Amino acid sequence: MRRVLILLLALLLLSACAAPAETEEAPPVPEAPEAAAPEEEALEDPGEETEGHVLLTLDAPLADGRTLRLEAFGRRADEYSYGVREVRVYDGDALIQTVQAREGIVSEGVEDSDYTDCWSTEDCMDELDLNFDGDTDFGLFAGRCNNMIPYYYWTWDREAGQYQFACILQGAEAHPESGETTAEYKSGSAGSQWVTEYYWPDGNGSLYLHRVERLVRDFQPDSGYLDVEREGAREVWLPREGDFLRPRPAEWSIEADLVLASREVPVYEGNGDGTVSYFTELWEFWDGEPQLVERKEYIP
């Protein structure tokens, strides 16, 4: 009996060793979360700034050796235009003056705006020596028009140590070789006239008119036929003796306030045989009466 029990115990042990061991299942590996897409940084658009934005910075050398810094502050009005509200004038790090654009704007009778109107930041401010005193003057792009751009100009006043509003000029250029400042623009019906104004500085640095040249295409000359292929007639108009006419905003007109001094007229004449001769006539006006003083043949 004892032997039987030992045998049964041995069989049980053998069956237990033969059975496969139970294994625990590994816990599922959690899936790695998807990497979040990096957030795009909002790009600052300077066009969205409406105040306190520097549109343009220029250096302005003075005759005494200093160089001022001019900063045009303003805004982007819309997709196509910018406006300057003020120009801050620095001598080194010191702010010595703030020039308001409105000073020029109201000189034209506009009361409802503090900003100029310009199509780009690069053109919003310009600089030149307007009166040939060795100090840099500056202008602000006044407004968009269909020919030459008008600028509001400020000139440097040495005695006051600051800029003073001076005038409005279109297409201004300084010519040191002749000591003249010119302004150019279209006028007349459908732009039929091209006007160039010539200014000299007076003893105070202010500009005054000393002649106007006008290219005219909308009149018949005193003789022959106007040769429009050579642009038109060139006229010279002069102020009356003793008159000191200033640039805008001063009010004057060519016909009402100036005297016609001369007219150079390109003309052509038919010769009766199918050929044409060309001439340049110079007319001078004495006491308002035209006098033909020269007639030269022109070979086209």
Side-chain angles (χ1 to χ4, degrees), residues 100-115:
Q100 300 297 327
R102 184 168 176 78
E103 188 177 2
I105 296 170
V106 297
S107 72
E108 292 196 283
V110 179
E111 299 292 342
D112 59 351
S113 178
D114 293 324
Y115 291 86

Side-chain angles (χ1 to χ4, degrees), residues 11-271:
L11 289 175
L12 288 176
L13 290 174
L14 288 174
S15 63
C17 291
E22 293 185 6
T23 59
E24 295 183 2
E25 293 185 4
V29 178
E31 295 183 5
E34 293 185 5
E39 294 184 5
E40 295 185 3
E41 295 183 3
L43 299 178
E44 292 184 3
D45 181 2
E48 297 299 324
E49 297 185 37
T50 58
E51 301 294 340
H53 177 50
V54 179
L55 300 178
L56 182 65
T57 299
L58 296 176
D59 289 335
L62 300 180
D64 61 11
R66 289 181 295 159
T67 297
L68 305 178
R69 186 173 76 256
L70 310 177
E71 293 186 350
F73 272 69
R75 66 183 183 184
R76 183 174 183 176
D78 54 42
E79 184 179 356
Y80 305 103
S81 63
Y82 297 80
V84 175
R85 186 190 67 212
E86 63 190 36
V87 175
R88 298 180 182 179
V89 183
Y90 289 88
D91 185 357
D93 294 330
L95 176 65
I96 62 174
Q97 185 183 5
T98 301
V99 177
Q100 300 297 327
R102 184 168 176 78
E103 188 177 2
I105 296 170
V106 297
S107 72
E108 292 196 283
V110 179
E111 299 292 342
D112 59 351
S113 178
D114 293 324
Y115 291 86
T116 60
D117 180 20
C118 179
W119 53 51
S120 73
T121 57
E122 292 81 5
D123 296 315
C124 71
M125 183 168 57
D126 185 30
E127 59 181 12
L128 74 169
D129 186 356
L130 202 65
N131 51 14
F132 310 106
D133 61 358
D135 297 319
T136 302
D137 309 311
F138 77 90
L140 292 180
F141 189 116
R144 292 170 287 178
C145 59
N146 60 2
N147 54 84
M148 302 301 286
I149 302 301
Y151 276 75
Y152 304 126
Y153 282 100
W154 283 260
T155 55
W156 178 254
D157 186 323
R158 293 181 186 175
E159 186 174 343
Q162 62 180 12
Y163 283 99
Q164 305 282 0
F165 177 69
C167 60
I168 305 170
L169 292 173
Q170 285 182 264
E173 290 187 14
H175 306 275
E177 68 282 358
S178 63
E180 297 172 313
T181 295
T182 58
E184 295 184 326
Y185 55 91
K186 288 182 180 180
S187 184
S189 175
S192 58
Q193 302 175 11
W194 185 262
V195 179
T196 304
E197 300 171 355
Y198 291 80
Y199 293 93
W200 282 335
D202 62 16
N204 298 317
S206 298
L207 301 181
Y208 70 93
L209 184 73
H210 79 91
R211 85 177 185 277
V212 171
E213 294 182 0
R214 183 171 70 170
L215 178 64
V216 187
R217 300 181 180 87
D218 59 351
F219 83 105
Q220 287 299 316
D222 298 289
S223 67
Y225 296 91
L226 183 65
D227 181 8
V228 294
E229 296 299 323
R230 284 189 282 164
E231 296 186 313
R234 296 184 180 278
E235 301 175 338
V236 174
W237 295 74
L238 301 176
R240 294 183 177 88
E241 187 175 355
D243 285 353
F244 285 84
L245 305 179
R246 304 294 184 180
R248 288 167 51 195
E251 295 182 3
W252 54 266
S253 67
I254 294 176
E255 286 83 359
D257 300 293
L258 303 178
V259 176
L260 180 58
S262 65
R263 177 183 288 152
E264 186 180 283
V265 185
V267 297
Y268 65 91
E269 292 180 352
N271 297 320

